[in-house]
Amino acid sequence: MFDSMSLEQMRTYRGRQEVPADFDQFWARQKASIKGHPAYQLTKKDFRFAQADFYELTFEGTNASQVYAKCIFPKLETFPVLFYFHGYQGQSPDWSESLKFVAAGCGVVSMDVRGQAGRSQDLGQFSGLTVKGQVIRGALDGKERLFYKDVYLDVYQLIELVASFEQVDENQLFSYGASQGGALALVAAALNPRIQRTVAIYPFLSDFKRILELGNHSDAYDEIFRYFKFSDPFHRTEEAFLHTLSYIDVKNLAHLISCPVHMLICLEDMVCPPSTQFAIYNRLEGPKNLEILPDYGHDALNVQVNDWVFDALFDTQIL
């Protein structure tokens, strides 16, 4: 196993850095900077599907960047909505992938993360290395300029905007995803209390100091090691650099989540080490449930896991 920590140790592990003293104030200030709903456009797609309507949603995010999302809304008077987030460097799932949730009477909104493989646009400008990855982008410019700070605000604005749509039941909003998508599902719940339930599978973006200590075994976190190797080989800026990144560390957002959270962790995960995921789970203060897959890594999880996701999202008795 890549992660050197035992399962017994992981069950109480809370991460290598504490939450910055001004962390809650920082994110309260970021949300307060969002004034009303952004300018947006909702364009209907003609897929001739009797049970649902399909739309392309674009809205203006921070830095005047354009954010794109797919929306599928069942033809019902009102309906809940699932915010379904994709993995790192990817894009929102195909329209047909979300129909299983629509079959359960749930709308689905899938956002393309800016600057990745989808149609969202990023206009941010950053100092330092941008040759690979987005975790560290903006870190040299300070916490206010972090790339993922803008992504997290995109998530917040998306939820606010969709909740305002007439047919959407704003009291039944859920978030779901795996890897980066799992991280953003948790961010959605932390920043927007409209989210009533979250399912996060092997979440990314957690416990950066632990990642650095474990060594560069994961392409997803390679950029952190590239920064030190090429920009600071003596690690003289390590403390300040990791402190800045702590403002987008998902484990530090965990205490802000009040809704029920279902997490799934794979013990053979060599992309997002299990201990970094436990650091999130162990900081959750609300209702929570953890499932562990001892024999899986950062794999496609198609064996019984999709059924578990449905139970976690729609069965209110599971917690």
Side-chain angles (χ1 to χ4, degrees):
M1 184 187 299
F2 159 61
D3 200 318
S4 59
M5 195 176 293
S6 70
L7 178 57
E8 183 180 2
Q9 291 172 314
M10 290 183 199
R11 290 191 183 278
T12 57
Y13 177 68
R14 293 172 58 87
R16 289 286 287 112
Q17 291 175 288
E18 279 306 315
V19 180
D22 66 338
F23 185 87
D24 290 7
Q25 292 84 354
F26 171 79
W27 279 108
R29 188 167 66 249
Q30 298 307 314
K31 292 197 298 181
S33 71
I34 306 299
K35 306 297 184 183
H37 297 313
Y40 74 93
Q41 184 172 2
L42 196 62
T43 305
K44 191 171 185 178
K45 302 283 288 183
D46 185 12
F47 289 149
R48 301 181 182 179
F49 191 79
Q51 290 80 24
D53 293 317
F54 299 74
Y55 299 90
E56 293 183 317
L57 170 66
T58 57
F59 66 89
E60 185 175 308
T62 55
N63 303 325
S65 299
Q66 292 298 306
V67 181
Y68 171 89
K70 297 184 178 85
C71 303
I72 309 178
F73 296 150
K75 292 183 178 179
L76 301 171
E77 185 175 345
T78 61
F79 47 81
V81 167
L82 173 66
F83 294 91
Y84 183 179
F85 298 101
H86 67 77
Y88 192 39
Q89 302 178 7
Q91 60 186 298
S92 54
D94 292 342
W95 296 97
S96 59
E97 170 66 17
S98 298
L99 292 181
K100 57 190 176 184
F101 300 112
V102 178
C106 189
V108 182
V109 175
S110 304
M111 183 187 82
D112 284 349
V113 173
R114 56 169 68 196
Q116 296 187 12
R119 294 174 58 182
S120 290
Q121 168 198 64
D122 178 53
L123 297 181
Q125 296 181 346
F126 310 99
S127 301
L129 281 74
T130 58
V131 68
K132 185 175 183 180
Q134 297 172 326
V135 176
I136 69 169
R137 290 193 184 180
L140 295 182
D141 301 312
K143 59 191 177 186
E144 303 278 348
R145 296 288 309 283
L146 287 164
F147 171 86
Y148 268 104
K149 181 218 73 174
D150 291 321
V151 174
Y152 293 0
L153 290 178
D154 291 342
V155 170
Y156 172 77
Q157 288 197 88
L158 176 70
I159 296 167
E160 286 294 292
L161 180 58
V162 171
S164 73
F165 294 169
E166 184 176 359
Q167 289 178 278
V168 170
D169 184 348
E170 62 178 329
N171 295 313
Q172 291 195 77
L173 304 179
F174 316 119
S175 59
Y176 163 62
S179 195
Q180 175 185 252
L184 296 183
L186 292 162
V187 168
L191 296 185
N192 201 312
R194 294 183 186 275
I195 297 297
Q196 296 299 303
R197 187 174 293 261
T198 295
V199 175
I201 296 175
Y202 43 58
F204 181 45
L205 298 170
S206 176
D207 204 5
F208 300 121
K209 186 172 180 62
R210 171 75 174 161
I211 292 293
L212 195 60
E213 292 170 346
L214 285 170
N216 190 10
H217 299 275
S218 165
D219 182 67
Y221 285 113
D222 182 49
E223 62 207 81
I224 297 176
F225 298 89
R226 288 180 62 87
Y227 165 75
F228 288 107
K229 184 174 182 177
F230 295 109
S231 298
D232 181 22
F234 296 105
H235 284 238
R236 288 171 178 150
T237 65
E238 179 178 323
E239 183 177 356
F241 191 78
L242 291 178
H243 178 75
T244 299
L245 290 183
S246 69
Y247 288 88
I248 57 166
D249 190 328
V250 175
K251 73 174 175 56
N252 292 342
L253 285 155
H255 70 280
L256 297 176
I257 300 174
S258 57
C259 72
V261 173
H262 301 266
M263 273 184 61
L264 185 147
I265 297 176
C266 300
L267 295 186
E268 296 292 334
D269 196 332
M270 295 184 67
V271 176
C272 298
S275 61
T276 69
Q277 300 175 50
F278 272 94
I280 301 171
Y281 185 79
N282 293 332
R283 289 174 178 265
L284 293 169
E285 298 177 359
K288 59 184 180 178
N289 174 58
L290 175 65
E291 295 290 345
I292 296 174
L293 297 182
D295 307 308
Y296 278 81
H298 210 77
D299 302 323
L301 304 175
N302 299 317
V303 181
Q304 302 182 26
V305 174
N306 288 324
D307 292 340
W308 171 80
V309 168
F310 258 80
D311 285 342
L313 285 170
F314 302 122
D315 183 358
T316 58
Q317 305 301 313
I318 198 168
L319 282 181

